[in-house]
Amino acid sequence: MDERTHSPVPAANPVLARCLFGAVRQDWSRAEVQALFDLPFPDLIFHAQRIHRENFDPREVQISTLLSIKTGGCPEDCAYCPQSAHYGTGVAADKLMDVAAVVNEARAAKAAGASRFCMGAAWRSPKERDLDRVCAMVEGVRALGLETCATLGMLTAPQAARLKSAGLDYYNHNLDTSPEFYGEIISTRTYQDRLDTLDRVRAAGIHVCCGGIVGMGEGRDDRIGMIATLASLPAHPESVPINLLVRVEGTPLAAKETFDPLEFVRTIAVARIAMPASVVRLSAGREGMSDETQALCILAGANSIFYGPKLLTTPNPAQARDSSLFDKLGLVPMR
Ligand code: SF4
């Protein structure tokens, strides 16, 4: 610390100096990510905000809307998910929506200020006949002038190529947590399965949306492992959603203790520093967050949110609350 200015000068610590330089790099070690987590909170937020400003307009927040195009009945056993057929959560299994209905929802999302429309289906992986319809949805949504995103489970290389041809801009496929903790959360597909799908999406030329969930009972080491893995992918995901667990009755994680909001803010700040040029999305869990926690997340470098009353099957803040928060913080939708 420089005694005269009280500005955190990292040069005395070579590990930190390298971490705080603000470069986009793929060789993050866990020790480096841990050094960021261990920073005093004011220093961490200062550097996250500084690096954020080097890459983005700090007032701009990208707005996405997420629609469940095929809800429930999923054969996977993700312990946080109310759509898994393994748990009795009261979420009914629906069929894949019609193209026209999806395009109508996208039109309404655009009118509400969304720039990206995400379509989520509760599948292990899409069947070919379903993919035909999803490709038609992508084409219809794109024709409205919206960016398109889909999350459909695991993809083969030809499926990724078809989605790219239909005009898909982003594919969401989360790593969820660290490789070590992953087995506590999902048993029906492996961490490597996820990495393989990410490789196929990237190879097809589709932007990657990939992040994880905190508050599932993992330790800080697992949050470190998750961010180190994300930041060490061959290219950083363009979009990094950081979700706070939404505890849903009937899922194995329903009784998890409340997660410390300041540790959540820390996780956002570390993601911002480790992936300086990526959009970091304050994703699921906002409904239960105070305005103050959300403001700290924005200060820590989050610059994307989901807008709309529902996130797949769980509640999201009402649009009026989000508009009021944007006004209070002087935020504007990212162009
Ligand atoms: S998170 Fe996705 S893959 Fe996992 S159970 Fe839910 S819908 Fe299925």
Side-chain angles (χ1 to χ4, degrees):
M1 182 77 73
D2 183 313
E3 295 297 333
R4 292 157 302 155
T5 62
H6 295 285
S7 67
V9 178
N13 180 332
V15 173
L16 274 174
R18 187 164 185 260
C19 297
L20 296 173
F21 188 62
V24 174
R25 58 187 181 87
Q26 279 75 34
D27 61 347
W28 283 89
S29 70
R30 290 196 181 204
E32 288 176 323
V33 176
Q34 172 158 8
L36 294 178
F37 264 100
D38 289 347
L39 278 170
F41 193 78
D43 292 352
L44 176 62
I45 300 301
F46 167 79
H47 286 296
Q49 176 66 201
R50 174 180 61 75
I51 288 170
H52 185 56
R53 283 168 182 263
E54 288 169 6
N55 293 278
F56 296 99
D57 180 333
R59 295 165 308 155
E60 289 192 349
V61 175
Q62 190 270 328
I63 295 176
S64 294
T65 294
L66 175 61
L67 175 70
S68 179
I69 59 172
K70 192 272 163 203
T71 304
C74 182
E76 303 293 288
D77 68 350
C78 310
Y80 51 83
C81 183
Q83 301 199 70
S84 168
H86 295 257
Y87 317 125
T89 60
V91 173
D94 282 343
K95 293 209 171 93
L96 179 61
M97 287 176 70
D98 289 330
V99 176
V102 171
V103 173
N104 277 341
E105 294 272 357
R107 196 173 285 115
K110 187 180 181 191
S115 61
R116 189 177 309 161
F117 191 71
C118 307
M119 293 161 273
W123 288 323
R124 175 174 167 81
S125 54
K127 297 190 178 70
E128 293 309 310
R129 67 168 185 278
D130 292 329
L131 203 62
D132 291 341
R133 202 187 295 178
V134 174
C135 286
M137 291 172 188
V138 169
E139 286 165 6
V141 172
R142 206 148 191 263
L144 299 174
L146 283 163
E147 287 184 318
T148 54
C149 176
T151 180
L152 314 170
M154 293 184 286
L155 294 183
T156 62
Q159 287 176 327
R162 282 190 62 197
L163 287 163
K164 173 67 180 172
S165 301
L168 189 70
D169 297 303
Y170 285 80
Y171 193 78
N172 165 263
H173 201 61
N174 289 335
L175 287 178
D176 282 357
T177 186
S178 68
E180 294 77 18
F181 191 66
Y182 182 85
E184 303 286 320
I185 302 298
I186 299 135
S187 74
T188 49
R189 72 174 89 165
T190 67
Y191 210 74
Q192 189 59 46
D193 288 334
R194 293 187 183 248
L195 291 168
D196 290 346
T197 289
L198 291 172
D199 279 349
R200 291 172 193 137
V201 167
R202 185 64 83 189
I206 300 171
H207 294 316
V208 170
C209 172
C210 181
I213 307 173
V214 301
M216 298 192 293
E218 80 286 346
R220 183 182 271 184
D221 277 356
D222 296 304
R223 293 185 284 282
I224 290 167
M226 176 180 82
I227 292 182
T229 306
L230 288 166
S232 304
L233 290 171
H236 290 172
E238 283 80 3
S239 179
V240 181
I242 303 292
N243 298 276
L244 177 63
L245 174 71
V246 178
R247 293 165 294 173
V248 179
E249 207 56 49
T251 64
L253 301 186
K256 280 286 162 217
E257 56 280 7
T258 311
F259 192 70
D260 175 11
L262 292 180
E263 180 71 6
F264 185 80
V265 175
R266 262 186 198 277
T267 308
I268 294 267
V270 173
R272 161 52 62 226
I273 294 171
M275 293 166 278
S278 300
V279 166
V280 175
R281 180 174 303 133
L282 178 54
S283 207
R286 280 201 309 122
E287 166 75 355
M289 272 179 216
S290 68
D291 283 1
E292 291 85 343
T293 300
Q294 293 192 59
L296 276 174
C297 289
I298 299 285
L299 201 58
N303 60 344
S304 174
I305 60 164
F306 276 124
Y307 203 54
K310 249 185 170 188
L311 275 187
L312 298 176
T313 62
T314 55
N316 201 40
Q319 288 169 356
R321 183 184 165 201
D322 279 341
S323 298
S324 154
L325 186 62
F326 267 53
D327 287 347
K328 280 194 267 187
L329 300 181
L331 303 175
V332 294
M334 192 181 285
R335 285 154 291 166

